[in-house]
Amino acid sequence: MKLALVGIGKIALDQHVPALASSPDWELAATVSRHGKVEGIEAFPRIEDMLAARPDIGAVSLCLPPVPRFEAAQAVLRAGRHLMLEKPPGATLAEVHILRDLAQAQGVTLYATWHSRMAHAVAAAKAWLADRVIHEGRITWREDVRKWHPGQDWIFQAGGMGVFDPGINALSILTEILPMPVHLRAAELDFPENRQAPIAARLALSGNITADFDFRQQGPQTWDMEFQTDAGHLVLRLGGNVLEIDGTEAGGQASIMGEYLALYARMARLVREGASEVDLSPMVLVADAFTLGSRNTVNAFDF
């Protein structure tokens, strides 16, 4: 199946293009970007141009930042093409509800992806927790924004999500593996004095679960979550890729590669089944953090 990739930036070049090159389901047939290109692939500056020129392309994957994504997503769905969304699926929940309804009306697939759910040990952790009672949980998700988003000022603009851009990855795993629903009770957000999105956040969730997100960590990165249950201690490390039970490795592998290949395989299955998948539970938690969270002003941040 032919697919167009929209937004040829760091995430597209680092993850989407290699995944598509390895996919048995998809052919990268066109790109859309103001500046970026993929060698050997037809490139368009505007999505409308691509949709008009390439009626043979049946699916589009959007890698644009959240704020400008909505108009492009609407154009794709109105043109009757299947649509895959990079996380988060939109700048607001209302936008994604509109897209979901439009996809249903058009009879096309909409897939709101959460790449961290495809990490190697997530499914095993979900299975292990399924019949356990969770007494408490702790998430520590700290990384270096200069490494993963160098010079990308949009991430600290209104709608850019700040530290919740990686933090929502943790929440996507959490909402996938827990055997019960979870909701936000309280939050504390740290905003640099010169920015419109938080650089750190601390969340208190139902079920005695806490989360600590920070965009300022240097050196080794930390993407861990742990749960104390009635049957032992579970830890997910390396962004959900390594599972430990009571201190002993119990599954996964120490690699963060392969998540996007799995996403494209899932997208192919949804298209073949005529189905959509739009789970907004991680995004609800982030929206609630902005609604309930107290705000601290911290030192200015510059790349």
Side-chain angles (χ1 to χ4, degrees):
M1 295 179 285
K2 294 181 179 179
L3 177 140
L5 190 59
V6 181
I8 309 302
K10 180 174 173 56
I11 189 64
L13 295 173
D14 288 353
Q15 298 290 349
H16 288 261
V17 172
L20 286 165
S22 299
S23 172
D25 301 300
W26 298 104
E27 172 196 345
L28 179 56
T31 63
V32 179
S33 180
R34 289 178 297 176
H35 306 294
K37 294 183 179 180
V38 176
E39 186 176 356
I41 304 299
E42 185 176 15
F44 296 87
R46 299 171 62 248
I47 194 165
E48 294 81 5
D49 298 336
M50 184 278 295
L51 293 169
R54 296 297 304 271
D56 59 314
I57 293 177
V60 176
S61 181
L62 289 188
C63 303
L64 300 168
V67 170
R69 192 181 301 163
F70 180 63
E71 296 301 326
Q74 282 190 308
V76 171
L77 295 175
R78 286 173 176 158
R81 319 296 173 91
H82 306 294
L83 179 62
M84 177 169 157
L85 298 171
E86 177 62 85
K87 64 84 186 175
T92 70
L93 291 163
E95 286 182 357
V96 189
H97 285 298
I98 291 170
L99 295 178
R100 183 182 59 191
D101 293 344
L102 180 57
Q104 184 175 4
Q106 292 289 91
V108 295
T109 291
L110 176 63
Y111 180 26
T113 69
W114 301 104
H115 68 82
S116 289
R117 287 182 174 178
M118 299 299 185
H120 297 298
V122 169
K126 180 178 181 178
W128 193 88
L129 288 172
D131 57 356
R132 266 75 177 186
V133 176
I134 298 173
H135 297 310
E136 66 175 316
R138 182 168 68 250
I139 300 170
T140 306
W141 220 259
R142 298 180 174 186
E143 63 182 59
D144 185 352
V145 66
R146 291 184 175 93
K147 176 179 179 179
W148 302 103
H149 298 278
Q152 295 180 16
D153 285 306
W154 64 264
I155 206 164
F156 285 115
Q157 294 171 355
M161 296 184 67
V163 75
F164 285 107
D165 180 84
I168 204 170
N169 295 336
L171 298 176
S172 73
I173 295 174
L174 181 72
T175 51
E176 175 69 11
I177 66 176
L178 288 184
M180 72 292 188
V182 64
H183 65 273
L184 187 82
R185 293 188 181 277
E188 187 177 12
L189 314 180
D190 295 343
F191 286 74
E193 62 184 11
N194 61 334
R195 300 290 182 170
Q196 297 298 314
I199 199 166
R202 293 157 298 283
L203 311 182
L205 303 160
S206 60
N208 201 24
I209 297 170
T210 61
D212 178 5
F213 302 151
D214 203 311
F215 238 164
R216 298 167 294 192
Q217 178 148 309
Q218 299 179 6
Q221 310 288 273
T222 304
W223 301 301
D224 296 342
M225 58 180 64
E226 55 186 295
F227 302 92
Q228 190 65 47
T229 78
D230 62 338
H233 187 226
L234 178 147
V235 180
L236 272 174
R237 300 196 187 280
L238 294 177
N241 283 289
V242 173
L243 175 64
E244 296 176 4
I245 304 295
D246 293 329
T248 301
E249 283 200 20
Q253 60 187 67
S255 168
I256 61 173
M257 302 303 293
E259 295 174 358
Y260 282 81
L261 184 58
L263 291 180
Y264 279 104
R266 178 64 179 155
M267 177 66 175
R269 289 195 297 272
L270 290 171
V271 169
R272 293 187 183 108
E273 295 167 1
S276 290
E277 186 172 299
V278 186
D279 176 15
L280 297 180
S281 55
M283 194 172 173
V284 168
L285 293 175
V286 172
D288 288 351
F290 278 100
T291 300
L292 287 178
S294 61
R295 175 173 177 149
N296 303 317
T297 301
V298 298
N299 293 338
F301 174 85
D302 292 295
F303 286 99

